[in-house]
Amino acid sequence: MYLYEPRSNYFYDEGKINVLNETQLWAILEGTIVTLEIALVAIVVGAVFGVIVALGRISKNKVANALSWFYIWFFRGTPLLLQLFIIYYAIPIIYLEATGTSFQVDAMFCAFIAFSLNSTAYLAEIIRAAIESIDSGQMEAAKALGMSYRQAMTRIIIPQTFKRLVAPMGNELILLLKDTSLVSTIALFDLLRTVKTMASASGSWIYYIYAAAIYLFLTTIIQVVFDKMEKKLGVYER
Amino acid sequence: MSMVKLVNVRKSFGNLEVLKGINLEIQSGEVVCIIGASGSGKSTMLRCLNHLERISTGEVYIQGELTDKREKNKDLMKIDPAKVQALCAELGMVFQNFNLFPHLTVIQNITVAPTIVKKVNKDVIEKTALVLLESVGLSEKRDEYPSRLSGGQQQRVAIARALAMEPKIMMFDEPTSALDPELVGEVLATMRHLAEEGMTMIIVTHEIGFAREVADRVIFMDEGVICEQGTPDEVLLNPKEERTKIFLNKIL
């Protein structure tokens, strides 16, 4: 590792501190994969369960409605970091106290759970708003044609929300991607923690620039892909 | 044969009573036009027939079968949702704002309900859909999205879509009110054609001329009650009720 050197030398002093060696390159790549994995799992799981929670919020069934409301209230109302701590640190202790046996927690698995639970709450609200923005005449027309509520939702209403969901979903994915840096607190090496370690070991700030470049690269891809999707899903609009 | 029957039907939205005791029976093959000022309960009455609105009090029958019986918003009968849904699907409905499904093409708009509700074979229903499109004069628009059609064309597709479910009765809720004047004619022509074929029709409309021409019976509604009904000549030319006279004077 590199020792502290005077500031003026960092960038211009050729070689050792600003160019990544192979080990560092792999470490950064692995950190990037951790970051990406968590964000992608969270957005996919969040979208699927988000639909269910959103339907609960819209439902006339009081129990379903109350459960969804409570879910969103809790997971939006407390910090993601706290949720991560509860799942990674608190639950094993509670389990140990209750059963007298301990179990091995996988940090990555805990991160998947915490991020998915959290993004479900946000996406549920996004999806609910999108469903409610569809003109009520659509549901009426579907019902008048003999469709059940479920058929009307799956074939008529929800497909019409797709285009309206793309932009806020892209937004959510970008937020998630950046929030993954919270997992450094549960012994995971995401992109940011990886470069932070390198930076403090070497005393060079250039690693932060590398990280910024990678974050920007990833968010740019998300932005471009989601823009394309939005155009494609809107073909039926004039 | 009685197609639909309402017995002492009342409907309130909160404290506002929109229907104040409606008794109405419509026979097979009848063309009934319902006229009246906005807010008189015409549309609500239609919507109570196919459960888009639940009545507050009264009884609703479709083809002689009880589909709703309530007293002060409490159910007095056990409703079998599948059966009620099937009976309500016998009533085709055309809306003021067309309500075509914007994410589906014209042909998909027509085939979607028969395929998923009645499980009709896709090839069979596509053939039917093409015949229906032909009859409303829109064959060449089969693969267009609704947003690329004029209002009159959209409403004709909506009529074809309702007909694809082979309804016994067609209900029209102010089908021409959202149309530009020059597009009204094509929709009325389609409806006239349907009437000539013997379809049972209930039409809420402001087109008095059309009502005179096609209706077997005209109903004038005012403030939640059926104020006067009879043949077009009786109601439209020689109204007995003062309120009917005032209304007709206003719109003619």
Side-chain angles (χ1 to χ4, degrees):
Chain A
M1 283 294 171
Y2 313 101
L3 296 170
Y4 181 81
E5 288 179 49
R7 204 164 251 281
S8 58
N9 288 338
Y10 286 166
F11 209 52
Y12 306 102
D13 205 315
E14 33 141 83
K16 47 189 186 179
I17 43 175
N18 21 7
V19 176
L20 293 166
N21 65 34
E22 206 181 323
T23 325
Q24 289 175 318
L25 205 60
W26 281 112
I28 287 183
L29 186 68
E30 270 167 35
T32 308
I33 289 171
V34 167
T35 288
L36 258 180
E37 263 182 347
I38 295 170
L40 288 177
V41 166
I43 197 87
V44 172
V45 176
V48 173
F49 287 95
V51 170
I52 296 168
V53 176
L55 288 175
R57 281 284 280 131
I58 299 166
S59 161
K60 289 196 184 88
N61 182 319
K62 289 212 173 81
V63 179
N65 202 301
L67 282 176
S68 314
W69 185 90
F70 182 82
Y71 182 92
I72 294 166
W73 172 76
F74 182 81
F75 283 98
R76 276 202 320 180
T78 56
L80 175 54
L81 189 56
L82 176 65
Q83 294 159 19
L84 204 56
F85 285 171
I86 291 175
I87 290 166
Y88 186 71
Y89 294 117
I91 288 182
I93 297 171
I94 296 167
Y95 185 81
L96 180 66
E97 282 170 0
T99 63
T101 52
S102 63
F103 69 93
Q104 195 67 38
V105 284
D106 178 48
M108 198 63 181
F109 184 70
C110 289
F112 285 156
I113 301 273
F115 276 77
S116 297
L117 289 173
N118 190 270
S119 78
T120 296
Y122 281 93
L123 289 174
E125 280 297 89
I126 291 169
I127 293 166
R128 179 187 62 80
I131 291 175
E132 285 179 344
S133 76
I134 303 296
D135 181 65
S136 61
Q138 293 290 309
M139 179 55 95
E140 291 185 351
K143 281 191 170 168
L145 286 165
M147 290 187 209
S148 64
Y149 180 79
R150 177 192 286 256
Q151 287 169 333
M153 269 295 169
T154 54
R155 301 297 295 266
I156 304 299
I157 308 295
I158 292 176
Q160 289 183 49
T161 65
F162 291 163
K163 188 196 172 239
R164 300 177 194 198
L165 283 176
V166 174
M169 289 268 261
N171 212 13
E172 179 67 16
L173 181 56
I174 287 174
L175 285 174
L176 280 168
L177 193 82
K178 293 179 297 183
D179 282 350
T180 52
S181 55
L182 294 174
V183 299
S184 62
T185 56
I186 61 163
L188 283 174
F189 278 80
D190 70 304
L191 174 59
L192 189 58
R193 188 183 184 183
T194 308
V195 298
K196 171 93 171 29
T197 312
M198 291 176 190
S200 36
S202 66
S204 164
W205 47 265
I206 190 69
Y207 298 103
Y208 296 128
I209 305 292
Y210 295 146
I214 294 172
Y215 279 118
L216 280 171
F217 174 69
L218 294 176
T219 51
T220 307
I221 290 177
I222 294 170
Q223 211 165 316
V224 170
V225 168
F226 276 69
D227 276 355
K228 282 237 166 70
M229 257 162 55
E230 193 170 357
K231 287 218 177 68
K232 203 168 175 202
L233 287 168
V235 284
Y236 59 79
E237 284 169 10
R238 212 193 301 243
Chain B
M1 182 188 157
S2 165
M3 295 304 275
V4 292
K5 189 163 91 169
L6 296 174
V7 180
N8 195 25
V9 164
R10 292 174 175 274
K11 171 70 186 175
S12 302
F13 295 103
N15 288 326
L16 181 71
E17 193 169 43
V18 183
L19 298 178
K20 299 169 182 168
I22 300 278
N23 288 289
L24 175 70
E25 185 164 9
I26 289 170
Q27 303 295 328
S28 176
E30 246 190 314
V31 176
V32 177
C33 284
I34 302 169
I35 60 170
S38 47
S40 59
K42 310 178 300 278
S43 294
T44 307
M45 190 171 83
L46 276 196
R47 296 158 61 83
C48 283
L49 283 172
N50 66 352
H51 275 230
L52 283 186
E53 303 286 355
R54 295 293 302 279
I55 57 172
S56 302
T57 296
E59 293 164 26
V60 181
Y61 296 84
I62 298 174
Q63 296 184 318
E65 297 215 47
L66 191 61
T67 57
D68 213 0
K69 180 171 174 158
R70 302 183 104 199
E71 177 77 48
K72 294 188 175 143
N73 291 318
K74 293 243 159 53
D75 287 323
L76 294 183
M77 63 174 282
K78 186 115 176 83
I79 288 181
D80 172 2
K83 194 181 161 198
V84 167
Q85 213 171 301
L87 281 166
C88 288
E90 301 280 359
L91 311 183
M93 185 152 184
V94 173
F95 298 85
Q96 182 175 349
N97 296 317
F98 332 131
N99 292 342
L100 289 182
F101 306 131
H103 62 305
L104 302 179
T105 61
V106 164
I107 188 109
Q108 288 169 338
N109 261 279
I110 299 174
T111 57
V112 62
T115 6
I116 67 174
V117 177
K118 287 184 156 180
K119 317 272 184 237
V120 182
N121 179 288
K122 213 162 175 173
D123 297 333
V124 175
I125 190 60
E126 280 205 359
K127 281 201 189 97
T128 315
L130 288 175
V131 173
L132 285 168
L133 271 182
E134 177 88 55
S135 73
V136 297
L138 290 170
S139 304
E140 77 283 11
K141 301 288 185 191
R142 54 169 288 175
D143 294 319
E144 293 280 12
Y145 284 104
S147 63
R148 301 186 58 89
L149 304 183
S150 73
Q153 291 171 333
Q154 290 193 47
Q155 194 60 298
R156 285 186 281 153
V157 173
I159 293 173
R161 176 177 72 174
L163 289 173
M165 285 297 283
E166 299 179 319
K168 301 275 165 45
I169 306 155
M170 283 287 280
M171 306 196 291
F172 296 83
D173 188 5
E174 303 197 23
T176 57
S177 297
L179 295 176
D180 293 337
E182 75 271 20
L183 301 176
V184 169
E186 61 191 68
V187 172
L188 292 183
T190 305
M191 291 166 64
R192 193 177 293 122
H193 183 66
L194 212 51
E196 281 160 5
E197 286 181 341
M199 176 64 83
T200 310
M201 293 164 77
I202 312 173
I203 306 162
V204 171
T205 186
H206 293 294
E207 300 285 334
I208 300 298
F210 178 75
R212 243 192 98 184
E213 184 193 337
V214 302
D216 299 312
R217 175 159 46 135
V218 173
I219 292 173
F220 171 66
M221 281 183 73
D222 192 44
E223 304 203 339
V225 295
I226 293 177
C227 182
E228 184 168 359
Q229 58 177 313
T231 64
D233 284 354
E234 285 168 357
V235 177
L236 299 173
L237 297 182
N238 304 300
K240 291 185 197 70
E241 297 287 331
E242 199 54 38
R243 285 187 287 177
T244 318
K245 285 178 197 164
I246 293 169
F247 173 74
L248 288 172
N249 272 333
K250 263 191 215 152
I251 64 165
L252 289 178

